[in-house]
């Protein structure tokens, strides 16, 4: 482990960046960190033994508090290494290529880290030349997590959750962050707070957004749901299918015609 901050102090917030051979993306992430108006946080970089110049970039960055560069078994193994090094009460994962939305994000977020287990905001999705703000619901339900999640780069996670409920499960290669959120929020019912801020800009060119990986993503999600919610999942999916059928009926021309005629039974 390399450290540039020799003082072993605890922080309210630790920001963790995972990188593997993505020097260009890492440069954007580092610039985003350097640009923050509030620098009162710990910054950790976990590199997977990159060979593209990323390590030299890390070595030349003065504000990184701790970093390692070594082989890992995947992105979630690397994120778990970051958790082990972090001293913050809250953790925020901002992986290479991701950026904080603007220079005031951390300054605005700090007063809102008020003890809840999960504090989440919104994020901006970034393609090559297109941007879109994605807003998450203020109330999180099982239905939301059935096919969606909250953003790892827009969610402040109280660090003791990993001690109590375990680290990211590396058996899931793409959805371990979704699995963790689903487990602690839905199954364990930890405290949650929504903040209306846009926290980060998510690089949509990553593995979780690649259509090539969608089949594996669905397979891993169903594997997790069967493991933790097996007796509930079949009934819920049947309920959702019934709702979809009802929506199709309500949007049909025949239904709209009956409604226009004032047939109250169909309204």
């Amino acid at each position: 482990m390399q450290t540039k901050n020799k003082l072993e102090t605890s922080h309210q917030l630790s920001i963790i960046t995972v990188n593997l051979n993505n020097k260009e993306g890492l440069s954007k992430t580092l610039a985003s960190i350097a640009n923050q108006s509030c620098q009162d946080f710990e910054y950790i970089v976990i590199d997977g033994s990159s060979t593209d110049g990323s390590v030299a970039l890390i070595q030349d960055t003065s504000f990184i508090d701790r970093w390692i560069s070594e082989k890992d078994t995947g992105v979630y193994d690397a994120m778990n290494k970051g958790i082990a090094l972090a001293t913050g009460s809250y953790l925020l994962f901002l992986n290479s290529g991701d950026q904080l939305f603007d220079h005031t994000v951390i300054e605005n977020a700090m007063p809102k880290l008020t003890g809840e287990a999960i504090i989440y905001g919104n994020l901006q999705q970034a393609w090559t030349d297109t941007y879109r703000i994605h807003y998450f619901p203020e109330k999180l339900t099982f239905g939301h997590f059935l096919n969606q999640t909250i953003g790892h780069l827009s969610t402040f996670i109280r660090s003791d959750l990993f001690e109590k409920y375990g680290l990211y499960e590396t058996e899931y290669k793409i959805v371990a962050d979704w699995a963790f959120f689903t487990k602690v929020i839905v199954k364990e019912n930890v405290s949650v707070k929504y903040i209306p801020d846009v926290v980060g800009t998510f690089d949509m060119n990553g593995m979780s957004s690649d259509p090539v990986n969608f089949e594996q993503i669905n397979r891993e999600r169903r594997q997790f749901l069967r493991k933790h919610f097996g007796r509930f999942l079949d009934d819920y999916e049947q309920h959702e299918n019934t709702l979809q059928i009802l929506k199709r009926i309500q949007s049909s021309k025949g239904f709209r015609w009956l409604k226009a005629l004032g047939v109250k039974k169909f309204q």
Side-chain angles (χ1 to χ4, degrees):
M1 180 185 73
Q2 304 290 328
T3 178
K4 295 181 180 178
N5 179 4
K6 302 299 183 181
L7 296 177
E8 294 293 332
T9 57
S10 60
H11 299 76
Q12 184 180 17
L13 175 65
S14 295
I15 301 177
I16 300 169
T17 294
V18 167
N19 175 73
L20 175 61
N21 289 325
N22 186 17
K23 182 181 178 181
E24 181 180 353
L26 180 61
S27 297
K28 295 178 181 179
T29 304
L30 293 175
S32 172
I33 294 292
N35 193 41
Q36 288 302 297
S37 57
C38 171
Q39 292 287 322
D40 186 19
F41 55 85
E42 176 183 58
Y43 187 47
I44 297 168
V45 177
I46 307 297
D47 180 75
S49 196
S50 294
T51 58
D52 67 340
S54 292
V55 176
L57 176 61
I58 295 168
Q59 290 173 327
D60 291 339
T61 303
S62 61
F63 54 82
I64 298 174
D65 295 295
R66 293 177 178 83
W67 66 273
I68 57 175
S69 182
E70 62 185 28
K71 293 287 186 180
D72 53 58
T73 62
V75 61
Y76 296 111
D77 181 36
M79 291 168 74
N80 286 340
K81 291 180 180 182
I83 294 168
L85 293 181
T87 67
S89 301
Y90 281 94
L91 308 182
L92 178 67
F93 292 92
L94 194 73
N95 292 337
S96 60
D98 298 334
Q99 303 171 69
L100 295 168
F101 182 65
D102 61 31
H103 72 284
T104 65
V105 166
I106 300 303
E107 179 182 353
N108 292 334
M110 282 294 196
K112 300 172 185 176
L113 305 182
T114 50
E116 292 82 5
I118 299 288
I119 300 173
Y120 69 103
N122 305 303
L123 58 81
Q124 178 176 246
Q125 297 170 319
W127 290 266
T128 303
D129 55 2
T130 305
Y131 298 88
R132 182 181 68 187
I133 302 297
H134 182 83
Y135 295 95
F136 293 101
E138 295 186 32
K139 182 179 180 180
L140 298 175
T141 64
F142 179 80
H144 174 79
F145 284 105
L146 190 63
N147 293 298
Q148 301 181 62
T149 187
I150 52 179
H152 71 262
L153 75 163
S154 60
T155 302
F156 300 89
I157 306 169
R158 209 174 62 208
S159 58
D160 64 347
L161 294 187
F162 293 105
E163 299 173 10
K164 186 173 183 179
Y165 301 112
L167 298 172
Y168 290 117
E169 298 179 65
T170 55
E171 64 182 288
Y172 307 113
K173 301 302 181 183
I174 304 180
V175 305
D177 52 338
W178 165 87
F180 178 81
F181 287 141
T182 305
K183 178 171 65 176
V184 300
I185 294 173
V186 178
K187 186 176 183 180
E188 303 298 342
N189 197 31
V190 301
S191 57
V192 175
K193 182 173 75 172
Y194 169 78
I195 56 177
D197 309 2
V198 180
V199 177
T201 298
F202 180 59
D203 182 0
M204 294 296 289
N205 297 308
M207 66 178 183
S208 63
S209 303
D210 189 339
V212 173
N213 294 321
F214 286 175
E215 183 177 346
Q216 182 177 350
I217 289 171
N218 289 331
R219 184 169 59 250
E220 289 187 4
R221 282 181 169 176
R222 285 301 178 270
Q223 178 185 343
F224 170 84
L225 289 169
R226 288 291 174 198
K227 178 180 177 181
H228 292 277
F229 300 95
R231 295 186 182 276
F232 180 62
L233 185 59
D234 287 341
D235 286 341
Y236 192 88
E237 288 186 330
Q238 183 177 353
H239 171 70
E240 285 294 296
N241 289 335
T242 301
L243 287 180
Q244 292 304 315
I245 293 172
L246 180 60
K247 288 179 181 179
R248 287 196 294 271
I249 292 173
Q250 290 175 332
S251 64
S252 68
K253 289 183 179 179
F255 183 89
R256 292 197 299 269
W257 180 75
L258 288 170
K259 188 175 181 180
L261 290 176
V263 182
K264 293 184 179 180
K265 183 178 179 181
F266 293 93
Q267 295 187 30

